[in-house]
Amino acid sequence: MMTEPEPSADTSTDRRILNAVHSVWGFDTLRPLQMEAIRAGLAQQDSLVVLPTGGGKSLCYQVPPLITDRMDVVVSPLISLMRDQVDALRQNGYPAAAIHSSLTTAERDRIRQGMRDNVFRLLFISPERLVSAGFMNYLQQQNIRSFAIDEAHCISQWGHDFRPEYRQLAQLRDRFPNASVHAYTATATERVRADIVERLSLRTPNVLVGTFDRPNLTYRIIPMIDVEAQTLEVIRRHANEAVIVYCLSRKDTEAMAEFLAANGVNAAAYHAGMESVRRCAVQDAFAGEQLDVVCATVAFGMGIDRSNVRCVIHASMPKSIEHYQQETGRAGRDGLEAECVLFYTAAGVLRWDRLIRKSAEQSDDPDATIRAATELLKHISAFCTMAKCRHRSLTEYFGQKYDKTDCGACDVCLNEVEIMEDSTTIAQKILSCVARLGQQFGVKYVVDILRGANTETVRQRGHDTLSTYGILNQWQDKVLNQLVYQLIDLGVLQRTSGDRPIVQLTEQSRSVLRGEQPVQLVKPAAVFKTTQSQTESWEGVDHALFDHLRELRKTYAAERSVPAYVIFSDATLRDLARRRPTTTQAMREVHGVGVKKLADFGEAFTIAIAEYCTAHEIDVDCDADAAGITITQVDIVRPKSGRSRPNPEKERAMDMLRDGAALAEVAEATGRAPSTIAGYLCELIADEPTIDIHNWVDVATYERIISAATKMNDQHLRPLFEALNEQVSYETIKLVLAHSEAQFSANSTADDQSTSVTN
Ligand code: ADP
Ligand code: ZN
């Protein structure tokens, strides 16, 4: 908490500090806790300084060596961070240097000379280089008096960015018994804080913890339905303002930027995989206010000093509250109001879960790594799904008390989070469906039964006779999906891990089923019941379009010599003229459009609608909602390369593949060649890397292919086919390679994430 200056503070020292800050940096005042932190540095009293992102931590270790004419050492995890800081300091005439692997020989010599001449006040260095024997000896000769450990949470396994090399800093205390050690971090819970103190053996440290709450930020967590359209809607509230959209993967940043640009937003993508020239150009354009919106992986933010970012959007959930705090921290640094919107889907949590397990395989202690990361993930997921004040949740998470009862700046306090009235009944229906299915199926299948999907598999298994079959058929499957995942988050259901996760009941399920425990389900954004009365009403229906579609219906009916209503009912035509779908995907959501009708008429109707609406300047792809329209999809343009061209057979094939159907089965149902279907599956895998490949390839074959590809270091099909004794089909090889590729790029996303330690 903020503390008043201590009465015993030496005022002449304070004056020297203020003078230095004023003359070198041009700042007139110090920010909260900076004075205390600088005093600790001057007095060489160990300290742990926890200030939020943008709180001004660097100044705290920059001032003391300047005033005392000594050279302090700063440990920093990333070269880019060191370089940025050294550059910024040099601009102020502050002599500093950084030692890292990308120095030229000339630079290295110059730094050595400078150190001999004692010209530098700060020396930045990475932890692994610092602890190398040679360098330690050298620094001991230099009589270093003080070390600053930046991003000190990296030393803790409980932190969100554990770096094993930080552990070696434990030696500093023994090697430099007379030097003081000062730890700095933006994000540390009590546990991490204790860990830092212990690991660095800090001696009665002065622990200075700033206020974490950012009252000028308004937080919103919104269930994800159509993340691109939803993002566009938010950005339109911030026309001509600076916005950062955080995406999970590099591919996502590009797709999002393309979508936004197609809709007239001044947007660009940014990720670590881009050429550095292009990356710098984007960063400069954003800093220079020529670019409004950056769609980025978390790699973006280092060295970004645009203080008027008015909105930070998370198009996918970060893996910890620490990351969330850090990334949203980039909004409203100027103290003016800013908005932070996170689009949440429980599927995102599962994706992280997989990534965590996957990347833990490479760590020294996978179990401990998984445990720590999973705990962080649980916290952020609960933060997203609970209807509790966001400011309060964040503040309490960082171990502080929150005094206000109504923050007035979050979706919960602003009453934007709607609880479904009949939550408990809905939960009971879902739970009894899981029970009836013998707790043996995955989320998707449970949803199929709840909404009464009439598929071959369901009929074969006889599940269409269950009492819970179709029991929630008034909801879209997306909505049902979300509700099931909410129950999982609440612990009322559980999902097993492994390749074929199934949904099971828990202790809590039983008390909910017995009516002993009420459940609160947050209303998903696009919840709407397609009841008769609503689809038949004229609300939102474009009459002229309705007439136009009626003509089209007439043509088809005449062609097939059937009554018009056999093609589509009036209710369906009205719903079409209300939602105006231009993609088969959107059309599938329309009342009365099943897979067969979609295949037969989807293309013709979506094209007719698109043409008509363009000619008459009418909005398309509207998402109607019983409680008013939640996603106002005004003027949305989907980039050409995307899913804009209707291809109903492909959509159908994709749906069947998502269900795990065999290639031959899909080929037969859609009338496409098996090789075409295999191609679709490769596409699907690239888009949804978490898809279960073992539906098509057994574990042993998968391993055989991967080990052959690794051994040969070759991804060409022919040599692999031969290496596998021509026993494995080309299709299977292709699938496995596509899958491992997708896993790999999902993981390189994870390393983008881990580079984000900047504040
Ligand atoms: P942190 O490392 O805590 O995220 P920085 O040290 O990067 O924060 O500081 C954030 C910004 O605030 C920088 O632009 C810095 O120059 C500025 N700053 C730091 N201290 C002050 C101050 N006392 N007055 C004005 N600006 C400050
Ligand atoms: Zn609130």
Side-chain angles (χ1 to χ4, degrees):
M1 294 266 93
M2 283 174 51
T3 47
E4 291 295 316
E6 299 185 7
S8 62
D10 177 348
T11 47
S12 77
T13 309
D14 287 4
R15 212 171 306 123
R16 280 177 73 199
I17 293 172
L18 287 172
N19 283 341
V21 168
H22 183 73
S23 73
V24 178
W25 287 271
F27 302 149
D28 294 328
T29 53
L30 286 176
R31 296 216 175 128
L33 299 183
Q34 281 183 327
M35 182 60 94
E36 291 77 355
I38 295 169
R39 281 193 210 128
L42 283 173
Q44 292 198 254
Q45 190 208 345
D46 286 0
S47 63
L48 168 59
V49 181
V50 188
L51 283 177
T53 303
K57 286 181 286 298
S58 5
L59 194 73
C60 304
Y61 56 73
Q62 289 163 353
V63 174
L66 189 68
I67 291 181
T68 48
D69 277 335
R70 63 188 197 215
M71 185 183 83
D72 287 356
V73 172
V74 182
V75 179
S76 178
L78 288 180
I79 296 179
S80 57
L81 284 180
M82 294 186 209
R83 259 206 302 246
D84 286 353
Q85 273 211 48
V86 170
D87 287 348
L89 285 171
R90 289 215 185 117
Q91 296 299 317
N92 288 333
Y94 183 118
I99 297 189
H100 51 75
S101 51
S102 39
L103 289 176
T104 62
T105 319
E107 282 170 325
R108 198 170 306 235
D109 290 345
R110 203 176 42 74
I111 291 173
R112 281 216 188 96
Q113 185 60 46
M115 282 168 66
R116 273 193 293 273
D117 300 343
N118 187 28
V119 297
F120 300 124
R121 297 286 75 88
L122 277 183
L123 181 70
F124 291 81
I125 191 157
S126 66
E128 58 275 23
R129 194 168 284 257
L130 170 65
V131 297
S132 68
F135 208 80
M136 279 281 207
N137 291 338
Y138 174 75
L139 287 181
Q140 274 176 322
Q141 287 157 24
Q142 299 289 309
N143 188 26
I144 298 298
R145 310 238 310 270
S146 178
F147 291 89
I149 317 294
D150 207 3
E151 313 294 354
H153 57 271
C154 294
I155 204 168
S156 172
Q157 196 150 50
W158 303 110
H160 63 286
D161 195 14
F162 173 55
R163 289 169 180 256
E165 63 275 18
Y166 259 67
R167 282 284 160 90
Q168 301 179 32
L169 296 174
Q171 312 168 29
L172 285 179
R173 186 89 285 168
D174 292 338
R175 302 290 294 263
F176 298 87
N178 299 321
S180 59
V181 178
H182 307 270
Y184 292 87
T185 178
T187 47
T189 53
E190 299 275 11
R191 185 177 202 170
V192 175
R193 248 174 250 163
D195 217 10
I196 294 172
V197 171
E198 192 193 318
R199 303 244 167 218
L200 290 173
S201 316
L202 298 185
R203 285 183 297 226
T204 53
N206 192 357
V207 179
L208 302 163
V209 183
T211 309
F212 275 84
D213 188 40
R214 300 278 312 273
N216 60 321
L217 302 187
T218 297
Y219 299 105
R220 293 194 162 86
I221 316 279
I222 298 176
M224 186 190 297
I225 303 285
D226 176 341
V227 74
E228 291 183 343
Q230 289 174 299
T231 301
L232 180 62
E233 198 203 341
V234 174
I235 288 175
R236 287 191 173 159
R237 289 207 285 273
H238 296 278
N240 305 319
E241 294 179 345
V243 179
I244 303 175
V245 183
Y246 283 110
C247 303
L248 184 58
S249 72
R250 297 169 180 187
K251 219 174 104 196
D252 293 347
T253 65
E254 283 162 6
M256 180 65 83
E258 193 192 350
F259 169 79
L260 293 175
N263 286 281
V265 177
N266 179 9
Y270 180 103
H271 57 75
M274 276 161 46
E275 264 180 47
S276 68
V277 183
R278 171 84 194 123
R279 234 174 38 215
C280 290
V282 170
Q283 196 155 328
D284 291 349
F286 188 69
E289 312 216 341
Q290 291 112 26
L291 179 66
D292 294 335
V293 179
V294 177
C295 305
T297 57
V298 294
F300 184 75
M302 290 179 242
I304 273 297
D305 212 7
R306 186 162 171 180
S307 64
N308 63 349
V309 173
R310 293 270 74 84
C311 179
V312 168
I313 299 174
H314 280 91
S316 85
M317 188 189 78
K319 62 178 166 182
S320 71
I321 291 189
E322 281 84 349
H323 281 96
Y324 179 71
Q325 173 85 0
Q326 197 166 63
E327 286 146 31
T328 53
R330 292 175 187 132
R333 282 205 192 191
D334 52 10
L336 299 175
E337 77 293 336
E339 184 181 12
C340 304
V341 180
L342 185 155
F343 293 112
Y344 175 83
T345 150
V349 181
L350 299 171
R351 196 163 170 197
W352 273 125
D353 198 56
R354 275 174 183 252
L355 284 174
I356 286 169
R357 278 162 211 287
K358 191 106 189 129
S359 60
E361 284 164 14
Q362 286 129 39
S363 80
D364 298 340
D365 185 352
D367 285 346
T369 310
I370 291 174
R371 229 178 303 127
T374 307
E375 190 169 312
L376 294 171
L377 188 61
K378 256 194 214 147
H379 282 291
I380 179 85
S381 158
F383 168 73
C384 292
T385 48
M386 276 191 304
K388 175 176 169 186
C389 171
R390 314 295 178 192
H391 283 272
R392 172 179 295 276
S393 300
L394 291 172
T395 307
E396 290 179 353
Y397 180 77
F398 291 110
Q400 300 184 340
K401 271 180 95 140
Y402 191 73
D403 299 327
K404 291 189 213 167
T405 47
D406 174 1
C407 75
C410 82
D411 51 352
V412 177
C413 296
L414 294 168
N415 282 324
E416 294 171 1
V417 175
E418 272 188 88
I419 303 296
M420 299 178 87
E421 305 142 17
D422 38 0
S423 293
T424 305
T425 318
I426 294 170
Q428 286 170 337
K429 288 180 177 171
I430 296 173
L431 296 180
S432 62
C433 183
V434 172
R436 290 279 141 77
L437 286 171
Q439 311 187 53
Q440 283 176 23
F441 296 90
V443 174
K444 189 158 190 322
Y445 193 73
V446 172
V447 166
D448 276 350
I449 301 304
L450 288 167
R451 72 178 171 89
N454 185 14
T455 67
E456 189 67 46
T457 329
V458 171
R459 282 194 304 270
Q460 265 170 15
R461 289 172 175 158
H463 288 151
D464 50 345
T465 61
L466 291 179
S467 60
T468 46
Y469 178 74
I471 198 172
L472 291 174
N473 65 358
Q474 71 271 44
W475 309 103
Q476 277 184 292
D477 48 357
K478 274 184 200 164
V479 171
L480 287 173
N481 217 38
Q482 274 208 13
L483 296 177
V484 174
Y485 278 115
Q486 278 193 50
L487 292 176
I488 294 172
D489 281 335
L490 290 168
V492 173
L493 275 177
Q494 66 186 3
R495 190 172 176 272
T496 58
S497 53
D499 287 336
R500 282 172 175 271
I502 58 176
V503 186
Q504 295 179 328
L505 301 178
T506 65
E507 267 314 300
Q508 284 193 61
S509 326
R510 292 169 232 287
S511 33
V512 171
L513 280 169
R514 284 198 295 265
E516 292 160 7
Q517 182 185 332
V519 175
Q520 285 213 325
L521 292 168
V522 174
K523 191 171 183 176
V527 163
F528 59 90
K529 299 184 178 192
T530 37
T531 59
Q532 285 291 344
S533 61
Q534 277 157 22
T535 37
E536 282 177 10
S537 92
W538 283 100
E539 199 186 328
V541 176
D542 187 288
H543 284 252
L545 176 59
F546 176 81
D547 291 339
H548 183 72
L549 296 178
R550 213 156 59 169
E551 287 307 309
L552 190 61
R553 176 174 69 176
K554 215 188 271 171
T555 322
Y556 276 111
E559 219 171 68
R560 294 168 189 227
S561 308
V562 293
Y565 69 83
V566 171
I567 307 294
F568 280 133
S569 71
D570 267 21
T572 300
L573 282 200
R574 283 191 203 177
D575 212 22
L576 282 170
R578 180 187 293 119
R579 295 163 187 256
R580 307 185 276 279
T582 59
T583 64
T584 44
Q585 225 171 9
M587 179 142 169
R588 182 71 182 84
E589 311 282 306
V590 169
H591 172 88
V593 182
V595 174
K596 178 75 168 65
K597 292 220 170 142
L598 190 70
D600 290 349
F601 308 114
E603 190 161 15
F605 275 77
T606 49
I607 289 174
I609 291 169
E611 283 173 353
Y612 183 91
C613 292
T614 311
H616 295 81
E617 299 188 3
I618 304 172
D619 299 342
V620 296
D621 295 308
C622 308
D623 218 338
D625 182 337
I629 292 174
T630 20
I631 316 173
T632 36
Q633 297 194 330
V634 267
D635 308 332
I636 293 185
V637 181
R638 302 282 178 186
K640 277 278 169 293
S641 59
R643 36 204 150 133
S644 52
R645 289 245 325 274
N647 181 349
E649 293 304 339
K650 182 171 176 183
E651 299 283 336
R652 184 162 174 221
M654 290 297 205
D655 268 350
M656 291 182 74
L657 292 171
R658 278 193 197 95
D659 278 343
L663 295 183
E665 189 189 332
V666 184
E668 190 177 321
T670 57
R672 300 273 151 101
S675 59
T676 311
I677 304 297
Y680 289 167
L681 183 53
C682 289
E683 265 182 56
L684 189 64
I685 288 169
D687 278 349
E688 298 170 22
T690 52
I691 204 159
D692 187 358
I693 183 74
H694 300 310
N695 282 323
W696 303 279
V697 185
D698 63 73
V699 179
T701 312
Y702 189 98
E703 293 308 324
R704 258 181 87 195
I705 299 172
I706 292 295
S707 93
T710 320
K711 243 185 249 150
M712 296 167 58
N713 195 17
D714 191 341
Q715 302 242 326
H716 289 99
L717 294 177
R718 179 87 212 158
L720 270 175
F721 181 69
E722 284 163 4
L724 294 161
N725 303 327
E726 308 192 355
Q727 286 166 346
V728 182
S729 73
Y730 277 107
E731 247 115 58
T732 307
I733 299 176
K734 254 195 252 175
L735 280 181
V736 170
L737 294 180
H739 185 257
S740 88
E741 166 93 359
Q743 297 293 320
F744 178 78
S745 49
N747 268 328
S748 24
T749 307
D751 63 48
D752 272 356
Q753 302 274 339
S754 71
T755 55
S756 145
V757 285
T758 180
N759 293 308

